[in-house]
Amino acid sequence: MKNGERARAGHGSPAAPGPTAGPGPTPAPGPTVVGREAEIAGIRSRIAADRSHSSVLIVEGDPGAGKSVLLDLAVRLTRGTGQRVLRAVGSESEASLAFAGLHQMLRPVLDDLGGLPARQRSALRTALGLAEDAEDAETADTPDALLVGLAVLTLVSDLSEPAPLLVVVDDAQWIDRASLDVLSFLARRMAGEPVTLLMGVRAAAVLPGFDKGYERLEIGPLSGDAANRLLDEQPKRPTGRTRARILREAAGNPLALVELARATADREPEGSGVEGPLPVTDRLEGIFARHVRHLPEATRRALLLLAATDAADAPAAARGLPEAADTVWAPAERAGLVRQDGTGVSFRHPLVRSAVYHAAPFEQRRRAHLALARQLGEEPDRRAWHLAAAAVRPDEQVSAALRETAGRARRRGGHAAAAAALERAAELSPHRADQARLLADAADTAVFTGQLGWVEHLAAGVRERSDDPALIGRAALATGRLLTLGPHHTAAFALLSRVADEAAATRSPRLLDALAAAAVVRYYSGEESQRQRIEALLADVPDSAAGAALRAWVLAVSDPSGAGASLAPALPRLIAAAKGEAGSLTALAVVAWLLDRTPLAARTFDEAFGRWQAHGPLPAGLACAAGWAYLEQGRWADARSVAAEIAEVASGAGLDHAEACARTLDATVLALLGEPAEARGSAERALALVDPLESRSVAVLARRALGLAAVAEGDYDSAYAQFRAAFTEDGDLVHYHVSPTVLAELAAAAVRRGHREPAARLLERSARHLGPGMSARLFLLVERGRALLAEPERAERHFRAALAGEAGEQWPFERAQTRLDYGEWLRRQRRVAEARPLLTGALDTFRRLGARPWIDRAKAELRAAGIEADAAAPGALTELSPQQQQIVRLAAHGLTNREIGEKLFLSPRTVGSHLYRVFPKLGITARAQLRDLLDDALQATGSAQ
């Protein structure tokens, strides 16, 4: 039974409704709530019937403080107005069952899944274990975690269409991690929806995804006056010394006040003299346990069975319990341990369940779990966990059942549940070799939870049980891979280097895997000694067709302008040989991006549409490369989508460095779009997430974004300082791959602020360092910088070199910047007729991309050249926010609101709301006019999408 459908002790007689959704009869008035007037006002403000926006509130407090009372009150008030409610209650027994909380929440509205878009519906049904038959369940693809979240967002948006929706999650500290990730996604993405999310959580509990950025309502102790009023409402009011003792020991905890009052009213003689500073929770558990001792044996057995399952979602388990109408429950109900309503029997509080369960001897608990396992033939996952709870010694059959549970959880995307099952399977395996193997499997799977401490614990278990270098190396590699996504890159490289050394000594194929992960660390850190170490170890790896893609990855990531540069001609062949394998395609797309083969990189990322999801729900090494490739190609909406996706996953998993990478990408696009304040916020957040000396790539990318934001505001002093930070005081590159991309921007800012000579020296020093391995893109950027910094008589040949050939069209924004610079130079040389086509071409590109600051500058230059740039309709797009621009462009391509929402991770309602607001700004009244509005710009330079 759900422990959320229980009495909320401490606040009177409960009247908690069941977990149905949709309007119904007005519920009973519920208990009187004492001393919580301010908290009730806060709850009421969230669920007002006329609310037209989203709201998230975390209700936190100690056990028995009254969180559940307030959440029940919110449910009653909401249902009383005919609005819909979805609710779930966390349960310790279901914390290891992937998506159990989500299934509980959505169970009343599963019939509404049919209205979701096909991909979302399929992902959500797979996650919830709702495949049509067993064969479908076995063959279904692992659902994309973000697609599952989007499906829930869309569903919630649809359900809130007729009336505002309330979503209540109690005991959220026990919600399984997969469900909690979906709820976190929902909370971040439901802005503008008439949805309120209330989360009840124990004080000091860690709630991933909700630990920052949300308002919290702390439910503290009752005041002395309120505590006395609550005692006065009890059936037998305590008085005198007894009342004083209750007030002292309860310390304002409502549940403790009520239960201690009950205990002193009917306490046994041996309990009358008990004194001492016991914690309230221990005291209450003792009270409940004493109540249990005096119940009939049949009632005690029923209570223990109920405490062992606590899973109302398992109909088979419920059949093993006495019916709610059975008189066996009456003594427990009179004792205040359980309550009965239309949904069945449930404990009044989690402490009751805990007391009942832990007060029973282990053998009784074991028999209860075995009885439940016999009832759960149709629920293999719950059956496996009950068998595991009943195990007293290693058991191969139970271990095998847990391995099967892990496989099902993994296919559904429940990596935390899968890793937990594998860990328990290892504990129950009779053989140490199998234990080590299963723990290594668990470590591999736990990587995708982002919980580094857990992965390290599992790896330590492997070392304790095995001396097999392959298994130990595999577990260590799992730890290292997760470390690469965090901020501590020195430690990550040290670990991966040890794994590589051991693999080299045993000629293990794991050497290349370790070097691939180490190369990611090398890229993030920018540390030169790491490149040297990788190249030394790579020399021991024999060439092979199977490892060609991974070898190319290691070389290109470690040294794109050196050893990696020679790979460029082989890339098309390697990509063709990958034959659609998403992992290899993604790796090769990253290589193409690093070598500035931008169109090839973008096409390959498109082909490997699964990208990092092919490896699991976490972003794989250099996942942001897809976004950078799209940005450089002019696909800024796609770049922001990549950034949003990675930031969502990384933030939820607590992977600071991965989140920082995504935020620098988004900050760069925001700066180019002319949103400097937002760009600065995102870039500064990225810098706060990492140590700049450990993560030089993020540091330089963030400084570049800050510099571009300053350029957008015309603050060239700040811009120069930020761009200059991409280089050391001596003028060396801070990061071997990112710093060279800043050279042209540094030159442009230097010219405007009188730093021409030091900037020219720095540029030439960098050019010498890059040498003959310099890519075509970097050559064009260096030539643009030289043109800007050169004396007038020498500038033109560099401008012409920077615009020579068609190669530069691969990078439209950079090409447009060069045209603008050259056009401005020509105008100042009084060669106005030559300047006009260049300035016009630059303006067209800037308009297409929505680069507002550069649009304004190009228009000003054209006016100075005697041309008044027309106020073409597409230019109105630059007045919209970046997100609105993305929505308009996608709508113009004929995508529906649902399709746009799926691309941008928004609900259809949010998309529709944006379109409603932007139509007047664009001077149109119908969706069909969007295509005409954008047609000229799209035909002129090609779609930016």
Side-chain angles (χ1 to χ4, degrees):
M1 297 296 166
K2 296 184 186 67
N3 52 16
E5 297 157 15
R6 58 183 183 261
R8 312 311 193 193
H11 289 64
S13 302
T20 57
T26 301
T32 301
V33 183
V34 176
R36 298 298 189 197
E37 291 76 12
E39 292 86 346
I40 292 172
I43 294 289
R44 284 182 179 275
S45 69
R46 301 299 175 125
I47 58 174
D50 61 348
R51 69 182 187 273
S52 58
H53 60 279
S54 66
S55 178
V56 179
L57 181 66
I58 313 298
V59 182
E60 65 178 8
D62 291 328
K67 304 181 297 296
S68 299
V69 175
L70 293 172
L71 297 180
D72 276 349
L73 175 64
V75 170
R76 288 196 306 277
L77 292 173
T78 300
R79 288 195 174 122
T81 63
Q83 297 175 39
R84 307 190 77 162
V85 177
L86 294 176
R87 69 185 306 182
V89 182
S91 164
E92 288 175 285
S93 65
E94 297 189 355
S96 296
L97 296 173
F99 297 108
L102 188 63
H103 185 276
Q104 185 187 154
M105 186 182 91
L106 299 182
R107 185 177 56 177
V109 294
L110 291 178
D111 290 344
D112 293 284
L113 266 58
L116 294 174
R119 289 179 63 237
Q120 295 181 31
R121 180 175 64 250
S122 175
L124 183 54
R125 286 182 61 83
T126 300
L128 296 177
L130 299 177
E132 297 299 331
D133 52 42
E135 183 177 350
D136 288 345
E138 292 295 322
T139 59
D141 291 336
T142 300
D144 179 345
L146 289 175
L147 199 55
V148 174
L150 184 59
V152 174
L153 175 64
T154 303
L155 179 63
V156 164
S157 177
D158 290 347
L159 292 172
S160 66
E161 185 68 33
L165 176 70
L166 174 66
V167 180
V168 174
V169 180
D170 201 0
D171 289 326
Q173 71 277 356
W174 291 327
I175 291 289
D176 65 277
R177 181 59 186 269
S179 297
L180 197 60
D181 288 345
V182 172
L183 289 167
S184 175
F185 177 93
L186 176 66
R188 291 193 295 269
R189 287 285 172 170
M190 66 184 194
E193 303 289 337
V195 178
T196 294
L197 174 60
L198 301 180
M199 303 279 287
V201 62
R202 285 191 175 182
V206 176
L207 204 61
F210 291 93
D211 53 345
K212 52 193 173 185
Y214 298 107
E215 187 176 348
R216 308 183 89 83
L217 178 61
E218 296 185 7
I219 312 300
L222 291 176
S223 67
D225 176 67
N228 275 293
R229 283 190 284 129
L230 182 57
L231 289 179
D232 286 340
E233 291 190 358
Q234 301 313 303
K236 186 173 180 179
R237 298 172 54 218
T239 59
R241 292 178 59 193
T242 300
R243 185 184 186 97
R245 177 183 165 198
I246 291 172
L247 288 170
R248 182 178 68 253
E249 294 196 10
N253 184 289
L255 178 62
L257 286 162
V258 171
E259 293 305 327
L260 289 172
R262 183 192 300 272
T264 56
D266 61 357
R267 67 180 182 270
E268 300 173 352
E270 67 267 20
S272 59
V274 174
E275 297 286 352
L278 293 176
V280 169
T281 53
D282 291 348
R283 165 73 68 181
L284 292 176
E285 287 192 7
I287 290 171
F288 294 137
R290 184 166 56 80
H291 283 312
V292 172
R293 285 200 301 269
H294 296 284
L295 296 176
E297 183 180 352
T299 302
R300 293 201 306 272
R301 286 199 304 267
L303 282 172
L304 182 55
L305 201 62
L306 180 62
T309 175
D310 200 33
D313 286 330
R319 286 198 297 272
L321 297 170
E323 292 298 326
D326 196 313
T327 56
V328 75
W329 293 114
E333 190 168 22
R334 285 195 300 271
L337 302 175
V338 300
R339 65 180 295 273
Q340 297 187 76
D341 57 21
T343 64
V345 183
S346 58
F347 286 110
R348 292 181 58 220
H349 193 276
L351 290 175
V352 182
R353 174 179 180 267
S354 177
V356 168
Y357 186 82
H358 292 290
F362 173 76
E363 185 56 33
Q364 291 182 17
R365 298 200 302 266
R366 180 174 180 272
R367 287 198 296 267
H369 285 295
L370 289 174
L372 289 166
R374 286 193 293 271
Q375 294 292 329
L376 288 165
E378 298 177 2
E379 297 282 345
D381 295 335
R382 287 185 170 88
R383 177 178 180 274
W385 279 107
H386 281 296
L387 289 172
V392 294
R393 61 183 60 86
D395 188 314
E396 178 56 35
Q397 288 186 327
V398 178
S399 179
L402 286 169
R403 294 198 297 272
E404 293 175 1
T405 286
R408 285 187 290 270
R410 196 156 35 202
R411 286 190 291 273
R412 293 166 58 194
H415 295 274
L422 288 168
E423 184 177 18
R424 183 62 174 138
E427 293 169 357
L428 292 175
S429 177
H431 307 294
R432 288 180 65 84
D434 290 338
Q435 292 171 14
R437 177 180 53 79
L438 288 168
L439 288 174
D441 290 343
D444 283 339
T445 304
V447 165
F448 301 123
T449 71
Q451 298 179 46
L452 179 60
W454 189 12
V455 176
E456 290 175 329
H457 170 75
L458 293 167
V462 175
R463 293 193 299 272
E464 290 171 3
R465 290 166 175 80
S466 176
D467 56 5
D468 182 350
L471 277 180
I472 295 172
R474 180 177 155 207
L477 182 56
T479 306
R481 281 173 169 160
L482 190 50
L483 274 172
T484 65
L485 301 178
H488 305 299
H489 293 126
T490 300
F493 190 86
L495 174 58
L496 291 166
S497 184
R498 287 198 301 272
V499 173
D501 280 335
E502 292 164 3
T506 59
R507 299 188 178 277
S508 167
R510 203 170 305 280
L511 172 57
L512 199 52
D513 293 328
L515 290 178
V520 175
V521 179
R522 147 70 174 161
Y523 184 88
Y524 288 152
S525 72
E527 177 59 47
E528 175 63 15
S529 64
Q530 293 176 359
R531 178 193 66 79
Q532 296 168 0
R533 182 80 179 117
I534 288 170
E535 290 188 358
L537 286 166
L538 193 61
D540 294 332
V541 179
D543 289 331
S544 69
L550 211 50
R551 189 183 185 90
W553 160 276
V554 173
L555 285 170
V557 172
S558 302
D559 188 16
S561 63
S566 61
L567 295 169
L571 274 176
R573 174 180 55 78
L574 292 171
I575 290 170
K579 297 179 180 177
E581 202 281 309
S584 295
L585 284 174
T586 302
L588 290 167
V590 170
V591 172
W593 170 71
L594 288 165
L595 301 182
D596 286 327
R597 299 288 299 274
T598 305
L600 179 62
R603 286 197 305 272
T604 309
F605 278 125
D606 289 341
E607 185 178 351
F609 63 90
R611 292 193 288 278
W612 44 89
Q613 283 87 358
H615 304 279
L618 296 186
L622 299 181
C624 275
W628 290 112
Y630 293 150
L631 182 151
E632 292 159 10
Q633 201 181 34
R635 296 166 56 178
W636 291 359
D638 289 339
R640 293 205 71 194
S641 294
V642 169
E645 187 169 345
I646 296 174
E648 290 283 356
V649 175
S651 176
L655 300 173
D656 290 348
H657 187 272
E659 181 184 352
C661 290
R663 292 195 180 279
T664 58
L665 171 59
D666 200 46
T668 304
V669 183
L670 286 167
L672 296 177
L673 289 169
E675 299 288 345
E678 291 184 43
R680 274 196 300 274
S682 192
E684 288 168 357
R685 170 63 178 159
L687 287 172
L689 286 168
V690 300
D691 178 348
L693 296 179
E694 291 256 346
S695 302
R696 294 183 182 92
S697 60
V698 166
V700 176
L701 287 167
R703 295 297 178 191
R704 186 175 74 175
L706 290 169
L708 289 169
V711 170
E713 295 177 315
D715 181 0
Y716 290 97
D717 283 326
S718 296
Y720 179 80
Q722 296 293 350
F723 294 141
R724 182 63 180 78
F727 306 87
T728 68
E729 290 186 9
D730 295 333
D732 292 329
L733 305 175
V734 168
H735 190 271
Y736 62 96
H737 180 249
V738 184
S739 292
T741 66
V742 184
L743 287 168
E745 299 292 355
L746 175 68
V751 169
R752 290 177 177 268
R753 304 316 304 164
H755 302 298
R756 187 186 301 268
E757 289 187 8
R761 288 195 299 271
L762 188 152
L763 185 146
E764 295 305 328
R765 183 187 183 108
S766 297
R768 287 192 299 273
H769 174 83
L770 292 169
M774 188 187 309
S775 70
R777 179 188 174 211
L778 290 182
F779 173 79
L780 297 178
L781 290 175
V782 167
E783 286 299 305
R784 178 191 168 210
R786 284 169 170 161
L788 290 167
L789 295 168
E791 296 299 327
E793 63 274 12
R794 300 174 55 194
E796 187 162 19
R797 68 184 180 92
H798 293 298
F799 275 126
R800 290 185 178 277
L803 289 172
E806 298 296 319
E809 301 299 332
Q810 301 175 71
W811 308 286
F813 180 74
E814 292 169 4
R815 174 55 59 103
Q817 284 182 300
T818 305
R819 287 190 174 115
L820 176 58
D821 290 336
Y822 189 21
E824 183 180 30
W825 183 87
L826 287 169
R827 181 187 63 77
R828 291 178 177 177
Q829 300 301 312
R830 302 183 183 278
R831 295 160 60 181
V832 176
E834 296 173 73
R836 288 170 178 167
L838 290 166
L839 296 173
T840 301
L843 177 60
D844 287 345
T845 299
F846 294 144
R847 276 178 166 167
R848 170 173 67 84
L849 296 173
R852 283 180 287 185
W854 286 266
I855 291 171
D856 293 341
R857 183 180 155 198
K859 289 168 70 174
E861 284 297 324
L862 276 169
R863 281 194 298 273
I867 296 179
E868 189 64 38
D870 60 44
L877 287 172
T878 64
E879 302 305 317
L880 306 181
S881 72
Q883 187 176 75
Q884 288 171 336
Q885 291 180 43
Q886 295 176 73
I887 291 170
V888 165
R889 293 179 189 279
L890 292 170
H893 282 73
L895 274 68
T896 66
N897 287 1
R898 284 181 180 268
E899 291 169 336
I900 296 170
E902 193 160 309
K903 274 184 168 289
L904 302 182
F905 300 101
L906 301 171
S907 73
R909 187 205 302 269
T910 299
V911 173
S913 176
H914 278 298
L915 289 172
Y916 176 81
R917 291 197 297 270
V918 304
F919 277 16
K921 297 179 182 179
L922 297 176
I924 61 175
T925 57
R927 195 183 191 101
Q929 295 173 275
L930 288 173
R931 169 64 73 174
D932 294 336
L933 178 73
L934 300 179
D935 200 42
D936 290 343
L938 293 174
Q939 289 181 359
T941 55
S943 171
Q945 307 298 318

